[in-house]
């Protein structure tokens, strides 16, 4: 945590991490009171990842959260009441009570794409968002998250390869929290650093301590700036630990007690408080002010959510299918002239040059250039056609071809 930020930036990171944890603590209470109708997934111990990465984005940028990224939603501007009501399936929730978890977004104002339950599918989706923004001239960056387990899905690799070939302004955050439900990461991937998977697609990657919010933010900010500058997609592996089970129903008894104890001592909020105190950026009075601010906000937001009605039964048929303009009227927002991407300015000559495929292992044991199989015969034919004909023999090329070809046919037999 040596990077120098503005004082308000340091305090913003602290505020959002504390708010992230307080929102989830409130939802645990609501869950135990049977007021939450869906699943509840905790990011306890991982708050620095969601907050630090989302804080690196600009207002115009897009993100798509996963189930443990409530902190990213809060940073982007989602009010806690929306998170509460969404999990309580209330009528005033973003989905009008049609979902009991975090499947909601805001395409018009906050630029949030709704989570997709099929792990990894957000990678090609957000690649498309990034490409669309580039096409429209918006200079945006798109970001999403994936877990260590989700990085083993086929669409993770397909999507990352697609992003790489398109050089999309896209940043992927790989949250390595050591457990894919009950499977330890060492049992699913034979790598020390999951960021190494980026090498297969020729893109840059970082590995960072996911419990150090300043390190997470500064790394993400550098990646976002590079992606925006046209350097293509970037992967960031954030190493952390999932301190609770997969969801509220999972006691996570498969986690060794020693492992849990080690990571509890590395709580990202406690580590950050120690840093802020040591740098004289936070004292007891400032900490109390932030706690009081969060408590007052969440009391108000929780009351609003609990007083929101449940959706009426007759509403069940509404909003199931998008029917056009009466569903939404989101249109592309052009920032540059359309003439730049339409003929004749956009035309590119369909010409390319094949320079070979590099080098490989030759039959003699050394290295040999890799080329198309018909390259050598074509060159031989050209030399024969250019050679002077023998005196008195019309069409001298034919004997030369037959003589040269005979050994090849014999060798094939």
């Amino acid at each position: 945590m040596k990077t120098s930020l503005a004082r308000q930036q340091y305090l913003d990171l602290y505020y959002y991490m504390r708010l992230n944890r307080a929102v989830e603590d409130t939802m645990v209470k609501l869950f135990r009171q049977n007021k939450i109708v869906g699943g509840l997934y905790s990011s306890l111990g991982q708050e620095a990842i969601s907050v630090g990465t989302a804080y690196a984005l600009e207002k115009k940028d897009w993100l798509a959260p996963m189930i443990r990224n409530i902190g990213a939603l809060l940073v982007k501007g989602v009010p806690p009441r929306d998170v509460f009501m969404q999990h309580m399936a209330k009528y005033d929730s973003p989905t009008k009570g049609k979902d009991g978890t975090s499947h909601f977004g805001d395409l018009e104002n906050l630029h949030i794409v709704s989570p997709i339950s099929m792990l990894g599918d957000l990678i090609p989706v957000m690649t498309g968002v990034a490409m669309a923004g580039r096409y429209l001239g918006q200079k945006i960056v798109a970001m999403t998250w994936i877990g260590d387990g989700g990085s083993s899905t086929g669409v993770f690799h397909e999507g990352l390869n697609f992003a790489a070939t398109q050089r999309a302004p896209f940043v992927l955050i790989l949250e390595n929290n050591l457990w894919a439900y009950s499977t330890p990461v060492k049992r699913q991937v034979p790598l020390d650093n999951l960021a190494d998977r980026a090498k297969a697609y020729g893109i840059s990657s970082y590995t960072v301590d996911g419990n150090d919010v300043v390190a997470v933010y500064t790394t993400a900010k550098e990646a976002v700036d590079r992606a925006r500058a046209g350097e293509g997609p970037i992967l960031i592996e954030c190493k952390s630990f999932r301190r609770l089970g997969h969801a509220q129903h999972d006691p996570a008894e498969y986690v060794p007690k020693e492992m849990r104890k080690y990571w509890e001592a590395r709580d990202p909020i406690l580590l950050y408080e120690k840093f802020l105190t040591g740098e004289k950026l936070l004292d007891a009075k400032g900490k109390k002010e932030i706690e009081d601010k969060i408590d007052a906000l969440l009391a108000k937001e929780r009351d609003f959510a609990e007083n929101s009605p449940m959706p009426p039964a007759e509403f069940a048929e509404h909003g199931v299918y998008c029917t056009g303009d009466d569903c939404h009227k989101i249109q592309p927002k052009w920032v540059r002239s359309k003439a730049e991407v339409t003929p004749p300015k956009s035309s590119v000559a369909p010409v390319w040059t094949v320079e070979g495929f590099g080098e490989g292992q030759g039959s003699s044991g050394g290295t040999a250039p890799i080329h198309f199989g018909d390259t050598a015969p074509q060159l031989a034919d050209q030399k024969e056609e250019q050679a002077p004909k023998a005196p008195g023999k019309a069409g001298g090329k034919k004997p030369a071809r037959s003589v040269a070809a005979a050994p090849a046919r014999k060798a094939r037999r």
Side-chain angles (χ1 to χ4, degrees), residues 7 17 19 25-26 47 65 93 98 102 108 111 142 146 175 189 197 204 225 244 287 326 347 350 356 378 381 394:
R7 182 176 186 276
M17 281 204 295
L19 181 61
D25 287 344
T26 301
E47 295 91 347
S93 71
K98 291 187 180 293
S102 58
E108 184 64 31
H111 300 162
I146 191 69
E175 297 180 277
V189 183
R197 289 186 148 172
S204 299
D225 290 345
L244 291 179
K287 179 180 177 181
D326 59 335
S347 61
Q378 285 181 343
D381 289 349

Side-chain angles (χ1 to χ4, degrees), residues 19 77 95 107 287 335 342 383 402:
L19 181 61
T95 59
L107 304 181
K287 179 180 177 181
V335 176
T342 52
K383 290 179 181 179
S402 60

Side-chain angles (χ1 to χ4, degrees), residues 52-373:
T53 52
Y55 194 73
L57 296 173
E58 295 182 9
K59 185 177 180 180
K60 65 181 179 180
D61 294 330
W62 287 71
L63 61 77
M66 293 288 287
I67 56 176
R68 304 189 202 282
N69 299 125
I70 285 178
L73 294 175
L74 298 172
V75 170
K76 206 66 165 78
V78 174
R81 66 177 59 181
D82 282 0
V83 178
F84 295 153
M85 291 189 297
Q86 186 70 19
H87 285 78
M88 298 166 75
K90 293 299 187 80
Y91 186 62
D92 294 320
S93 71
T95 59
K96 299 295 183 182
K98 291 187 180 293
D99 180 71
T101 54
S102 58
H103 297 95
F104 70 97
D106 183 342
L107 304 181
E108 184 64 31
N109 300 309
L110 299 181
H111 300 162
I112 299 172
V113 175
S114 174
I116 299 175
S117 293
M118 283 65 73
L119 300 180
D121 279 31
L122 282 170
I123 297 173
V125 168
M126 295 310 288
T127 296
V129 170
M131 292 169 59
R134 179 174 61 193
Y135 183 75
L136 296 171
Q138 295 176 354
K139 295 290 287 184
I140 64 163
V141 173
M143 176 183 289
T144 192
W145 293 258
I146 191 69
D148 50 272
S151 71
S152 295
T153 61
V155 73
F156 168 90
H157 298 278
E158 295 167 6
L160 203 55
N161 182 71
F162 177 51
T165 57
Q166 298 299 320
R167 295 189 62 79
F170 168 64
V171 177
L172 177 62
I173 312 301
L174 201 168
E175 297 180 277
N176 183 354
N177 62 20
L178 301 182
W179 294 92
Y181 206 123
S182 59
T183 303
V185 66
K186 290 296 185 182
R187 296 288 297 275
Q188 54 170 318
V189 183
L191 295 172
D192 290 330
N193 296 317
L194 299 183
D196 288 347
R197 289 186 148 172
K199 295 178 181 178
Y201 308 107
I203 65 175
S204 299
S205 65
Y206 298 85
T207 300
V208 65
D209 179 357
N211 287 30
D212 182 341
V213 68
V214 174
V216 172
Y217 164 70
T218 53
T219 302
K221 184 66 169 63
E222 181 177 321
V224 167
D225 290 345
R226 290 178 60 188
R228 198 186 311 280
E231 292 190 34
I234 295 175
L235 183 149
I236 303 175
E237 178 190 3
C238 297
K239 298 195 180 224
S240 186
F241 176 71
R242 196 194 70 208
R243 283 170 53 187
L244 291 179
H246 176 69
Q248 282 293 313
H249 62 270
D250 174 22
E253 295 177 349
Y254 43 81
V255 177
K257 294 180 180 179
E258 296 78 10
M259 176 182 283
R260 187 184 303 281
K261 184 177 180 181
Y262 170 82
W263 284 98
E264 286 175 349
R266 300 200 71 256
D267 181 282
I269 295 180
L270 294 180
L271 290 176
Y272 195 44
E273 284 181 355
K274 185 180 297 184
F275 166 77
L276 293 176
T277 302
E279 296 293 320
K280 300 188 184 308
L281 295 166
L282 182 70
D283 55 19
K285 180 182 177 182
K287 179 180 177 181
K288 182 68 164 53
E289 289 175 352
I290 291 175
E291 290 174 346
D292 290 344
K293 179 181 178 180
I294 291 175
D295 289 344
L297 172 65
L298 295 191
K300 179 182 178 181
E301 299 289 273
R302 175 175 174 166
D303 286 344
F304 185 95
E306 293 201 72
N307 291 322
S308 174
M310 298 300 288
E314 59 270 20
F315 183 70
E317 67 175 342
H318 295 281
V320 178
Y321 297 101
C322 179
T323 54
D325 286 346
D326 59 335
C327 173
H328 65 81
K329 295 183 179 181
I330 297 176
Q331 299 295 327
K333 298 178 181 178
W334 288 91
V335 176
R336 62 177 175 177
S337 171
K338 293 183 182 180
E340 294 182 24
V341 291
T342 52
K345 289 187 177 181
S346 67
S347 61
V348 177
V351 178
W352 62 94
T353 302
V354 177
E355 297 180 351
F357 295 120
E359 293 185 347
Q361 189 71 27
S363 58
S364 62
T367 58
I370 299 174
H371 51 71
F372 289 111

